[in-house]
Amino acid sequence: QVAGHVQESATQRLMLERGDIDVARNLNPEDIAGARAAEGIAIDDELRGRLMYISVNQKHEMLSKPEVREAIKYLVDYEGMQNSFLNGQYTIHQNFLPRTYLGAVDENPFSLNIEKAKELLASAGVGPFEIEVGVREAQERIEIAQSLQNTFAQAGITLNITVGTAKAILGRYRARELDMYMGAWGPDYPDPHTNAGTFAYNPDNSDEAGATGLLAYRNAWDTGGLTEKVAAAVVEGDRDTRARMYAEIQSEFRDTAPFAVMFQKIEQTGRSEAVQNLNLGGAITAVSYWPVVK
């Protein structure tokens, strides 16, 4: 077998349809739709662990108010994005454990609701304000940020988008300098602690702690008691009890955290129908080519 790198999605699709290659792994939505209609080509959809989320800095006077944190979750056009430019590539998911993980839950209580967001902002005594969102230079992320800019504006929040290199944006995020971050997080290993231990765990919130690897720390969030619950869940020996603990942690996280988890990645792969048993590793990226038959 031979693995090769072809930059252009359209070229990959052409090669796949001609039979020059058996598998095309990163086709864009247009080429997926085209390949789906081609004879002898199958499209596989596989859930990945990558999550797309926004988070807000708890050092910020407005963004640290609980009502403002909640309002932001109602200012995301989850369905509009999922059904347009993210179509087939991301699915709505509002929890920090990806589907397929132990303890994963499917509750997605938030939807775009400008009026509800306005009520929450009013109850916090907050008038119109401006914030900066940092985004890495990747097309889908910029499009998500532009959608947020549009919906936030309808509730009186001006979102100024700063697009930069991964190094520049992540550097400021880790230094707790961004008002808001919009980006992705992928799990490092197939256990729930890989995400619980960064989204909902922050034992020392002081600047001196320098715990820049923790997402909760990057947003200056002390987790409101979730740190202790996460510490208990990781050492729990009973699988069912542990799954329940993570469900409870995520329920509280959805309500209180300065994070809005929005989407989970779907990887769409075009393959020749002659190729069988291709498994791309599910939620963690671990491709096994050895079981493949042709």
Side-chain angles (χ1 to χ4, degrees):
Q1 97 213 0
V2 179
H5 178 64
V6 178
Q7 188 76 28
E8 291 297 320
S9 174
T11 308
Q12 281 196 47
R13 175 187 157 195
L14 192 64
M15 292 171 75
L16 181 69
E17 291 179 4
R18 278 202 314 239
D20 299 342
I21 58 174
D22 295 310
V23 177
R25 286 200 50 199
N26 50 353
L27 299 177
N28 67 30
E30 295 76 42
D31 288 317
I32 285 286
R36 202 184 285 277
E39 203 174 323
I41 303 297
I43 303 295
D44 297 326
D45 297 311
E46 190 165 13
L47 271 175
R48 287 293 199 206
R50 176 176 289 264
L51 302 172
M52 202 63 85
Y53 74 93
I54 54 174
S55 60
V56 292
N57 193 333
Q58 295 306 283
K59 289 188 168 195
H60 191 284
E61 182 190 0
M62 308 286 196
L63 300 174
S64 59
K65 295 175 187 285
E67 301 91 343
V68 176
R69 295 201 297 256
E70 188 182 350
I72 281 169
K73 295 165 194 182
Y74 289 104
L75 290 176
V76 179
D77 189 3
Y78 305 92
E79 290 201 1
M81 288 190 269
Q82 174 191 258
N83 298 336
S84 58
F85 60 87
L86 297 179
N87 188 23
Q89 304 206 58
Y90 282 89
T91 182
I92 293 169
H93 188 66
Q94 296 176 0
N95 301 281
F96 67 67
L97 288 182
R99 287 191 201 114
T100 75
Y101 266 58
L102 175 72
V105 291
D106 273 337
E107 282 102 304
N108 297 316
F110 302 106
S111 56
L112 180 63
N113 189 333
I114 305 289
E115 289 314 309
K116 187 173 177 76
K118 282 180 172 174
E119 286 167 20
L120 285 161
L121 292 170
S123 71
V126 169
F129 64 96
E130 274 189 45
I131 54 172
E132 178 197 22
V133 57
V135 187
R136 285 169 53 175
E137 47 193 4
Q139 188 55 36
E140 66 195 8
R141 298 187 188 200
I142 294 168
E143 289 185 40
I144 292 170
Q146 288 167 340
S147 170
L148 296 168
Q149 187 178 50
N150 172 20
T151 49
F152 276 48
Q154 294 174 52
I157 303 174
T158 303
L159 206 53
N160 298 315
I161 301 171
T162 298
V163 179
T165 62
K167 188 177 180 196
I169 297 297
L170 286 173
R172 291 186 59 207
Y173 186 31
R174 290 181 177 127
R176 309 168 122 184
E177 287 172 8
L178 289 176
D179 299 332
M180 178 169 150
Y181 175 76
M182 189 267 121
W185 178 261
D188 293 324
Y189 51 90
D191 181 89
H193 191 68
T194 188
N195 280 13
T198 192
F199 279 100
Y201 183 81
N202 183 17
D204 183 350
N205 196 36
S206 68
D207 286 341
E208 296 70 42
T212 57
L214 303 180
L215 298 182
Y217 176 88
R218 292 182 196 176
N219 291 283
W221 183 48
D222 67 8
T223 80
L226 286 180
T227 293
E228 292 71 24
K229 293 180 182 180
V230 168
V234 72
V235 296
E236 172 55 51
D238 182 78
R239 185 180 167 88
D240 293 342
T241 304
R242 195 170 178 229
R244 275 198 304 277
M245 291 167 88
Y246 286 116
E248 286 168 18
I249 290 166
Q250 288 175 100
S251 174
E252 191 175 324
F253 180 92
R254 275 196 313 272
D255 290 344
T256 63
F259 292 84
V261 180
M262 302 181 291
F263 306 107
Q264 181 171 347
K265 176 80 177 144
I266 301 169
E267 186 162 306
Q268 294 183 301
T269 303
R271 68 173 164 84
S272 157
E273 286 177 345
V275 173
Q276 302 293 324
N277 300 341
L278 177 67
N279 180 341
L280 298 176
I284 53 165
T285 306
V287 183
S288 301
Y289 288 113
W290 60 267
V292 172
V293 292
K294 179 182 171 185

